[in-house]
Amino acid sequence: MAYPFSKIEKKWSKRWFETKIYEPDLKRAKRPFYNLMMFPYPSAEGLHVGNMYAFTGSDIYGRFHRMQGDDVFEPIGLDGFGIHSENYALKIGTHPMKQAKISEKRFYDQLKIIGNGFAWQERLETYDPEYYKWTQWIFVQMWKRGLAYRQKASVNWCPSCKTVLADEQVINGKCERCGTEAIKKDLEQWFFKITKYADRLLKNLDKIDWSERVKIAQRNWIGKSEGALIKFLISNSQFSIEVFTTRPDTIYGATYMVLAPEHKLIEDLKHQITNYKEVEKYIKKAKAKTENERITEGGRKTGVELRGIKAINPATKKTISIWASDYVLASYGTGAIMAVPAYDERDLEFAKEFKLPVVKAKLVDKDKIIKKIGGKKTVQYHLRDWLISRQRYWGPPIPIIYCRKCWERMDQKKRKSLRYGIDYATFDNEEFVIHPVPEKDLPVKLPYIKDFQPTGSTYAGPLASQKKFYEVRCPKCKSSAYRETDVSDTFLDSAWYFFRYPDVKNKREPFDKLRVKKWLPVNRYIGGAEHSVLHLLYSRFLTMVFKDMKLIGFDEPFSQFRAHGLLISSGAKMSKSKGNVVVPDVYIKKYGADTTRLYLMFLGPYEQGGDWRDAGIIGIVRFLNRVWALASNVSNNSNISSWLHPHIKEVTEDIANLKYNTAIAELMTALNKLEKETLRPVRQAHGEQAQGKKINRKDFETFLLLLAPFAPFITEELWQKLGNRYSIHREPWPKYDKRHLKAKTFSLIIQINGKVRGQVEARRGTNEAEAKKLALAEEKVRKALGVGKIKRTIFVKDRLINFVI
């Protein structure tokens, strides 16, 4: 009889939700374990198997810890604000507020059927005013501490999304959301001073238990460089050019200087530059290029000399030419370089292009030369401040008010003490005092507006057309004032959500200190490595700020972080354009959630990902049907058989290390033994042998306990059918006896292209060559191979061999 998954999964989903089986006591938990999957953003298309892959892997780990006696907290919510959701609403012609509710229902309905042990009572959505009230509160606290400021800067602009982007949201020169080439624009925007925390962010990477590839990505992005600041005087002028260099020892070989086209000095010296019209033309052309086009290696170097001005090399005292070129970026270093073509490849290319001198001067002691020429040793970082404002509609309004009257009433002495960008700002040559929205007036609610489309303006978003929104009273002098019309970056919403989950109903503060002390940092966080320098970096930054505010006593948000792998379909990364996105609903309806969960986890190592192929799921269907069939043939024996202990050990260790595919392979081996090796005759009371054979009850129950994190529905049903009163998911995890771990043989699983084709007994310690020989000796395997050529062999010692053909 086949496993009737549909009826059983509906039954247990409903019962778990009603009994709140996965809700820990957030106040009194004795062994709190915060198990979290990275914040999902919803879309009307809903969950695809890549999402389910990530969620299932996280859930298995949480279920494993719950059965080990931990009070597991696994909350869920939606990162529903931001460009992605807004663009989808624009695409289908629906208002984002309406679409958010549609997407929310769709996403939650899907999440309820995949079998995860979510704590549904603590769910949150970023577009709920009760949530973004505290996002705005965080912005106000950042402003009060001088960590939020408004500044004119050369920023990334996405022509398609019609908004600015943070540096971290530009991947290989393109918008990380839509893939459009980003361009540079000089704009006034709001920033967070993440650079103030650059050194702490870098140093802490040495002590946190995170996936190494994520730590490497963050180290590279923060990009610490030790060097010196050196000033080159401009002859016959009061101006100078300051450069940052990591090679002050090469200064005697500096034969010319290069400024980024956006460098302020060009404008300051335009009256001395004799070919300024030519320079201006070049600057306009350079600004039209994307940053990616400017820094691409191998392209022909372009530039223009700033005639009429010369710089003085402070070491040689010789005058050298000054150039503007787009291979130097305003956003890196000081936006100017001393060019040393004898020791730098790009400088050499430029020198050859414009026939500039190349001098291979001797290298000198770095410290001595810095002192001699009056330089300054310093450290610089690649990291730039986080651009937080967006010229869009779907996001939390930035809680700032600008007052002209406050400026006019302020005396000169007071004006001089103000900090531009933090205390005051300018618009159309008029100056305004900056005030945060008073905390009692939060949240600043996002109004419903019919015309929410992005304007394309580089200065204002859709809210700028709403007088009722932007015309307000100054919180200080009560005069007419203006509210900020930009909204904040969606990555701010998601940089702190894990603090709110344990205390979602708190109306007095973003979170209770004692509650957070009990549950945070997050014990195990699982998510995508693609957010290494976005969400993960921003979350670390805000956590450090919270510690400095004395809201918390730790400075890292996640004790452990593991990056899951990516799924591909038919050999290619899943994408709508390729038409290979797989929606799990179809498979859950046809085969059940347990089957889909097991198949996803069997595709490959969880941290590496795998290739989804429809044909492979049938093997899992058969596996669960065999488990279901065995349940009707169980005896009352009470001791675990000795052969089962090595399997308990292997499954336990594999789950702990996220090696779910090999844990499932071990369960398959154990099932084979249950069917073949532990079947024994049962004698009736009068001594005659009964017809049929029975399985040791304790062995079968132990097997179900090991399977439970992977297949929660079938194991719960069978556990109850065996007469157990309580949920299997609240039962203790099986323990193995070391005395029974000396098994001399194991079942070698044989796969072809990841599909199980057979198994054979082998001695422990068998090497790859011996395993291959044993596998190819099996007739079923040879038949399955046919005339196919083995391209590669994957061998897991004492576990499996997989032939890729």
Side-chain angles (χ1 to χ4, degrees):
M1 177 183 169
Y3 161 48
F5 61 84
S6 181
K7 181 181 176 182
I8 287 167
E9 290 180 359
K10 284 178 184 175
K11 165 189 168 182
W12 286 112
S13 286
K14 186 172 183 289
R15 191 173 299 181
W16 289 336
F17 185 79
E18 289 172 350
T19 58
K20 302 177 182 177
I21 185 176
Y22 302 123
E23 295 286 343
D25 188 329
L26 292 169
K27 286 185 179 178
R28 300 175 185 84
K30 292 180 180 178
R31 293 178 56 179
F33 187 91
Y34 197 162
N35 183 63
L36 190 61
M37 172 62 211
M38 196 175 278
F39 211 13
Y41 60 79
S43 61
E45 300 101 321
L47 217 62
H48 58 72
V49 291
N51 303 134
M52 187 173 171
Y53 177 80
F55 278 113
T56 301
S58 178
D59 182 62
I60 289 167
Y61 194 77
R63 288 181 177 278
F64 173 62
H65 270 271
R66 188 178 289 111
M67 293 173 76
Q68 288 185 321
D70 291 330
D71 296 297
V72 174
F73 180 44
E74 189 177 316
I76 188 62
L78 299 177
D79 185 14
F81 258 150
I83 289 174
H84 181 87
S85 299
E86 187 179 339
N87 282 351
Y88 182 78
L90 284 165
K91 178 183 174 183
I92 65 171
T94 307
H95 195 279
M97 282 189 179
K98 181 181 177 182
Q99 184 57 43
K101 293 302 177 184
I102 296 170
S103 298
E104 179 183 316
K105 184 180 185 306
R106 166 78 171 134
F107 217 74
Y108 282 154
D109 284 348
Q110 282 186 299
L111 289 172
K112 284 175 182 174
I113 66 172
I114 67 173
N116 275 41
F118 291 128
W120 284 102
Q121 304 302 308
E122 284 73 37
R123 65 183 179 271
L124 61 82
E125 297 82 38
T126 55
Y127 44 80
D128 181 350
E130 284 302 308
Y131 180 80
Y132 70 74
K133 166 184 179 177
W134 300 110
T135 301
Q136 293 172 336
W137 179 88
I138 289 168
F139 193 104
V140 170
Q141 307 315 307
M142 300 290 275
W143 180 87
K144 287 180 178 178
R145 284 159 179 78
L147 294 173
Y149 66 95
R150 186 177 176 86
Q151 177 178 289
K152 186 173 184 179
S154 179
V155 298
N156 308 296
W157 175 267
C158 176
S160 176
C161 294
K162 298 177 182 176
T163 188
V164 295
L165 304 169
D167 283 354
E168 293 83 0
Q169 291 166 308
V170 178
I171 312 298
N172 296 322
K174 296 178 180 179
C175 172
E176 60 98 20
R177 285 291 186 201
C178 70
T180 303
E181 287 276 355
I183 59 176
K184 286 287 185 180
K185 287 183 177 285
D186 292 331
L187 301 173
E188 289 260 0
Q189 298 293 311
W190 280 97
F191 294 85
F192 278 176
K193 283 189 180 177
I194 191 173
T195 51
K196 185 177 178 181
Y197 288 77
D199 200 48
R200 281 170 70 180
L201 289 166
L202 189 62
K203 285 180 178 177
N204 273 19
L205 289 172
D206 294 332
K207 72 175 186 180
I208 56 178
D209 181 8
W210 283 28
S211 295
E212 193 57 33
R213 57 178 165 155
V214 173
K215 291 164 72 169
I216 289 169
Q218 290 203 4
R219 283 191 187 99
N220 291 341
W221 188 257
I222 295 167
K224 184 177 181 179
S225 298
E226 295 182 358
L229 286 171
I230 299 172
K231 283 186 178 180
F232 286 67
L233 297 176
I234 296 176
S235 58
N236 303 317
S237 169
Q238 79 267 27
F239 292 103
S240 62
I241 302 171
E242 187 171 57
V243 301
F244 170 77
T245 177
T246 58
R247 295 292 308 274
D249 58 323
T250 65
I251 193 167
Y252 282 95
T255 57
Y256 62 97
M257 302 200 75
V258 187
L259 306 181
E262 304 89 347
H263 201 290
K264 184 176 178 293
L265 197 62
I266 298 174
E267 175 69 20
D268 291 340
L269 293 170
K270 67 179 182 181
H271 297 299
Q272 289 178 246
I273 298 171
T274 57
N275 61 332
Y276 188 72
K277 283 191 177 179
E278 182 188 2
V279 172
E280 196 174 33
K281 186 178 178 182
Y282 177 80
I283 291 171
K284 187 177 180 181
K285 189 177 178 182
K287 283 185 176 181
K289 290 184 181 180
T290 66
E291 189 167 297
N292 196 43
E293 290 171 333
R294 289 173 61 170
I295 63 175
T296 300
E297 297 292 337
R300 182 182 171 188
K301 296 289 183 290
T302 64
V304 59
E305 185 180 0
L306 309 183
R307 294 180 191 145
I309 60 172
K310 297 281 186 182
I312 302 170
N313 184 320
T316 65
K317 305 302 181 185
K318 293 179 180 177
T319 58
I320 54 178
S321 58
I322 305 171
W323 295 71
S325 175
D326 57 18
Y327 83 92
V328 175
L329 303 176
S331 56
Y332 294 94
T334 63
I337 66 164
M338 63 175 204
V340 190
Y343 296 100
D344 185 276
E345 190 68 31
R346 293 196 306 162
D347 292 347
L348 181 60
E349 290 171 5
F350 190 87
K352 285 179 177 178
E353 184 68 34
F354 293 98
K355 297 180 174 54
L356 296 169
V358 178
V359 177
K360 192 161 182 139
K362 66 175 182 177
L363 300 178
V364 293
D365 183 279
K366 286 188 183 186
D367 288 342
K368 287 182 179 178
I369 194 63
I370 292 170
K371 188 176 180 180
K372 180 181 177 181
I373 62 178
K376 180 184 177 184
K377 288 183 77 172
T378 190
V379 173
Q380 289 205 352
Y381 297 91
H382 169 270
L383 182 69
R384 294 292 173 264
D385 279 341
W386 177 8
L387 197 165
I388 208 78
S389 48
R390 296 292 180 270
Q391 294 71 48
R392 297 288 294 235
Y393 167 70
W394 192 232
I398 290 177
I400 290 292
I401 292 171
Y402 305 96
C403 181
R404 174 67 181 166
K405 203 56 106 171
C406 279
W407 176 264
E408 291 173 347
R409 292 175 177 176
M410 195 175 288
D411 61 44
Q412 288 295 328
K413 187 177 179 182
K414 181 67 175 173
R415 287 180 183 178
K416 285 181 180 178
S417 68
L418 296 180
R419 300 162 296 173
Y420 179 74
I422 295 176
D423 298 318
Y424 81 103
T426 60
F427 299 94
D428 297 326
N429 296 319
E430 287 193 318
E431 293 175 286
F432 297 78
V433 173
I434 296 174
H435 297 294
V437 172
E439 292 176 24
K440 65 179 178 62
D441 294 334
L442 297 177
V444 176
K445 287 190 177 182
L446 181 68
Y448 180 94
I449 63 173
K450 189 175 180 180
D451 188 14
F452 66 89
Q453 289 81 1
T455 63
S457 166
T458 54
Y459 298 101
L463 292 177
S465 65
Q466 306 297 309
K467 275 192 175 184
K468 285 184 179 179
F469 176 79
Y470 68 73
E471 288 186 346
V472 293
R473 290 286 172 187
C474 172
K476 189 84 171 177
C477 73
K478 309 306 177 187
S479 300
S480 295
Y482 300 92
R483 195 197 304 276
E484 173 64 70
T485 58
D486 280 357
V487 298
S488 60
D489 180 14
T490 184
F491 279 101
L492 176 56
D493 305 326
S494 61
W496 76 280
Y497 76 106
F498 44 90
F499 284 99
R500 183 70 176 172
Y501 269 143
D503 203 16
V504 292
K505 295 177 176 64
N506 194 331
K507 293 183 179 296
R508 296 171 288 102
E509 55 194 342
F511 49 81
D512 178 76
K513 290 181 183 179
L514 291 177
R515 185 73 60 88
V516 163
K517 185 179 180 181
K518 188 177 190 70
W519 285 97
L520 275 91
V522 172
N523 296 87
R524 171 59 71 90
Y525 195 40
I526 289 177
E530 68 272 18
H531 290 299
S532 297
V533 299
L534 287 158
H535 164 66
L536 290 169
L537 190 65
Y538 298 151
S539 296
R540 294 183 63 216
F541 164 52
L542 272 197
T543 302
M544 290 176 181
V545 173
F546 287 173
K547 185 183 181 185
D548 291 350
M549 291 169 64
K550 300 191 178 350
L551 295 176
I552 57 175
F554 52 90
D555 61 359
E556 286 293 339
F558 317 119
S559 296
Q560 290 184 325
F561 173 78
R562 294 294 179 269
H564 62 73
L566 292 176
L567 284 192
I568 59 175
S569 179
S570 302
K573 184 179 177 182
M574 289 187 194
S575 72
K576 291 177 193 170
S577 61
K578 291 189 178 77
N580 65 345
V581 172
V582 179
V583 179
D585 304 47
V586 178
Y587 298 89
I588 291 173
K589 186 176 181 180
K590 189 173 182 180
Y591 303 113
D594 281 344
T595 298
T596 310
R597 285 169 64 101
L598 275 162
Y599 180 55
L600 283 167
M601 296 300 100
F602 196 51
L603 290 175
Y606 184 64
E607 293 183 81
Q608 293 178 30
D611 191 352
W612 173 281
R613 295 177 187 271
D614 286 6
I617 202 168
I618 301 302
I620 301 296
V621 174
R622 294 194 195 104
F623 171 72
L624 287 182
N625 282 337
R626 287 163 59 201
V627 173
W628 182 255
L630 276 180
S632 60
N633 207 20
V634 176
S635 73
N636 288 320
N637 298 47
S638 58
N639 295 319
I640 299 176
S641 299
S642 59
W643 65 266
L644 195 52
H645 289 274
H647 296 295
I648 297 171
K649 178 179 183 291
E650 294 298 334
V651 173
T652 301
E653 292 176 354
D654 282 349
I655 293 178
N657 293 307
L658 304 185
K659 295 179 179 178
Y660 299 143
N661 59 325
T662 52
I664 295 168
E666 196 71 28
L667 288 166
M668 290 175 172
T669 302
L671 180 63
N672 291 334
K673 289 184 179 178
L674 276 171
E675 291 175 324
K676 295 177 183 178
E677 296 182 29
T678 67
L679 293 174
R680 63 190 72 178
V682 178
R683 298 189 180 277
Q684 294 178 348
H686 50 75
E688 294 179 13
Q689 185 170 307
Q691 295 298 313
K693 298 177 179 179
K694 295 286 183 179
I695 297 170
N696 181 338
R697 178 191 177 97
K698 197 66 178 177
D699 287 352
F700 189 62
E701 286 187 336
T702 301
F703 174 80
L704 290 179
L705 289 165
L706 297 174
L707 178 62
F710 299 94
F713 294 108
I714 190 173
T715 52
E716 186 77 293
E717 179 70 13
L718 293 179
W719 190 255
Q720 301 290 319
K721 278 183 176 294
L722 289 172
N724 295 296
R725 279 185 69 188
Y726 302 107
S727 170
I728 191 172
H729 304 298
R730 291 288 186 178
E731 290 292 321
W733 186 254
K735 293 181 180 178
Y736 58 86
D737 188 331
K738 291 182 180 179
R739 293 175 299 175
H740 300 301
L741 297 181
K742 296 180 180 178
K744 294 180 180 178
T745 63
F746 73 101
S747 290
L748 174 69
I749 301 232
I750 306 163
Q751 297 177 334
I752 297 173
N753 286 349
K755 187 175 181 180
V756 177
R757 292 295 187 177
Q759 54 188 340
V760 63
E761 283 296 304
R763 64 172 180 79
R764 291 203 172 272
T766 295
N767 62 31
E768 184 176 336
E770 293 169 336
K772 188 174 182 180
K773 189 176 179 181
L774 283 169
L776 295 177
E778 292 291 298
E779 187 178 347
K780 281 173 68 177
V781 175
R782 290 200 307 273
K783 205 170 182 182
L785 280 170
V787 294
K789 186 179 179 182
I790 298 173
K791 289 184 177 179
R792 188 161 58 100
T793 301
I794 300 168
F795 176 64
V796 180
K797 191 176 180 182
D798 292 346
R799 290 291 179 83
L800 62 84
I801 189 165
N802 179 21
F803 299 118
V804 180
I805 64 170

